Amino acid sequence: MSFTPDIQAFCCHYTSQQTIAEGREGLKQDGMPDNITINRLVCTGKLQVSTLLKAFEEGADGVYVVGCPADKCHNIKGSQRAAKRVGAIKKALAELDIEPERIEMFHLERGFHPEFIESALLMNKRITELGPCPLKGEKK
Amino acid sequence: MIIAERKPINEILSMVADAEKILVLGCRGCVTVCSAGGEREVEILASLLRLGMQKQGKKVEVLEGTLVRQCDREYIETIDHWKGKYDAIVSMACGVGVNFIANLRPSDRVYPGVNTSFFGGSAEQGVWSEQCAGCGNCVLHLTGGLCPVARCAKNLMNGPCGGSVNGRCEIHKDVECIWQSIHDRLGRIGTPEAMNVIAPIRDWSSAGHGGPRKTLRDDLTV
């Protein structure tokens, strides 16, 4: 059975500049999978644990956050805070016996770069292999 | 403040396994300050409960609420607002909150959402350390303001034990020997002779060893 995961990406304003400049179609040409929804934020440090959990509640099979390199965040420690929160969710997912790899943090340079697409492809491959999130109550 | 930490999610899930409507109830007091049971943590626990139940194929409705304090009768009364809308309460207050709800709502099922640990202070962002044992017989005026009851692993009252090395506790190497600190501090504040005073055998009856303690303030009762 073919499975197309629902993946929610949360990116800060700076690391998602590529999405603004290229638009949906441009990104698609670069190889960005269609099933990834990009949620732009002023800073990943603004992300709350509950926002990321809500994404799973609303049916996401995988969630990832893209923020600035740890030492280059425009807001000093924003992406470090986000990484800590992603870590807390990994722990909670493991407690619920859900694969913690369903959520990930990436630290990427701002602007245009192939790594932005690579992180999307990596998550798409990983979550496709994991199958539907068991939180949906569906069979794998 | 009173320090607490969220219980493992599976422990909470097993407490409320047969509940269909759960009220997750936070407290804006101490547990908000130590990021264990305030509004934000209520939101997170509610989400985790929904996800956990969903995974088990159970239907659950989770209500979220936060009281000003769960250690005052007046605030507990405000949970009437949710009457009939829950069949279990998970309190994210310290243990006092759970007790208060249990006292005042004899037929309600109330469960602890956090483990309550100690009276502490914020050592640095995200780190809390025990500073007071609530023993009911304060000796801080004799010890330069540093508490040997709470902060000495052996609760010693007359100087350090033989295990103190380079100012560190022999039980926990990452903890300062509080008696070394008391000694140094008494010197700095000009009362080194206080170290020579022998503290008598301590009366622990005020420390809760005689059952639950009670404080009565006549000036405040009405």
Side-chain angles (χ1 to χ4, degrees), chain B residues 131-152 155-158 178-179 182 186 194 197-204 206:
Chain B
Q131 306 285 313
C132 169
C135 72
N137 185 11
C138 199
V139 296
L140 292 172
H141 57 300
L142 305 172
T143 57
L146 307 175
C147 183
V149 180
R151 299 172 67 181
C152 167
N155 314 121
L156 294 181
M157 290 302 295
N158 284 295
I178 198 64
W179 270 109
I182 291 169
L186 289 174
V197 178
I198 306 293
I201 292 172
R202 196 177 156 80
D203 175 4
W204 288 97
S206 60

Side-chain angles (χ1 to χ4, degrees), chain A residues 68-87:
Chain A
C68 304
D71 57 346
K72 288 185 187 166
C73 175
H74 188 75
N75 295 309
I76 320 286
K77 288 191 170 177
S79 63
Q80 290 179 47
R81 289 186 205 283
K84 290 265 186 181
R85 287 167 192 167
V86 166

Side-chain angles (χ1 to χ4, degrees), chain B:
Chain B
M1 81 196 95
I2 298 178
I3 308 297
E5 201 179 358
R6 196 191 78 223
K7 278 182 173 286
I9 183 65
N10 284 327
E11 194 182 332
I12 305 174
L13 277 168
S14 64
M15 293 174 197
V16 294
D18 57 348
E20 289 173 354
K21 290 178 289 179
I22 302 167
L23 170 61
V24 178
L25 197 59
C27 176
R28 294 209 183 101
C30 308
V31 288
T32 292
V33 185
C34 70
S35 294
E39 214 160 325
R40 196 173 285 176
E41 290 73 27
V42 163
E43 220 181 329
I44 294 169
L45 179 60
S47 201
L48 289 172
L49 284 175
R50 279 191 292 266
L51 290 169
M53 292 287 214
Q54 214 165 299
K55 187 173 175 249
Q56 294 168 13
K58 292 179 187 164
K59 282 213 158 134
V60 70
E61 210 177 300
V62 184
L63 284 169
E64 299 169 31
T66 307
L67 303 186
V68 174
R69 278 196 299 278
Q70 287 190 33
C71 52
D72 266 322
R73 179 183 287 264
E74 290 82 353
Y75 298 116
I76 300 290
E77 279 167 9
T78 63
I79 65 172
D80 281 344
H81 174 66
W82 292 286
K83 204 172 178 181
K85 293 181 181 165
Y86 60 82
D87 44 39
I89 299 175
V90 177
S91 164
M92 296 200 77
C94 70
V96 180
V98 183
N99 274 272
F100 255 63
I101 297 172
N103 287 339
L104 297 168
R105 293 289 180 279
S107 309
D108 277 7
R109 289 163 54 193
V110 53
Y111 302 106
V114 302
N115 287 324
T116 306
S117 331
F118 53 81
F119 302 159
S122 178
E124 56 186 274
Q125 171 107 17
V127 180
W128 291 271
S129 64
E130 185 163 14
Q131 306 285 313
C132 169
C135 72
N137 185 11
C138 199
V139 296
L140 292 172
H141 57 300
L142 305 172
T143 57
L146 307 175
C147 183
V149 180
R151 299 172 67 181
C152 167
K154 302 173 185 177
N155 314 121
L156 294 181
M157 290 302 295
N158 284 295
C161 68
S164 170
V165 179
N166 296 327
R168 298 272 138 189
C169 172
E170 75 166 342
I171 309 285
H172 307 288
K173 302 274 184 241
D174 58 336
V175 171
E176 62 184 356
C177 166
I178 198 64
W179 270 109
Q180 177 76 53
S181 303
I182 291 169
H183 171 269
D184 296 348
R185 187 163 155 75
L186 289 174
R188 277 197 304 273
I189 63 176
T191 54
E193 69 284 353
M195 278 299 281
N196 298 326
V197 178
I198 306 293
I201 292 172
R202 196 177 156 80
D203 175 4
W204 288 97
S205 62
S206 60
H209 298 262
R213 291 169 282 179
K214 192 173 189 172
T215 296
L216 173 68
R217 285 270 307 268
D218 258 337
D219 54 327
L220 297 176
T221 54
V222 279

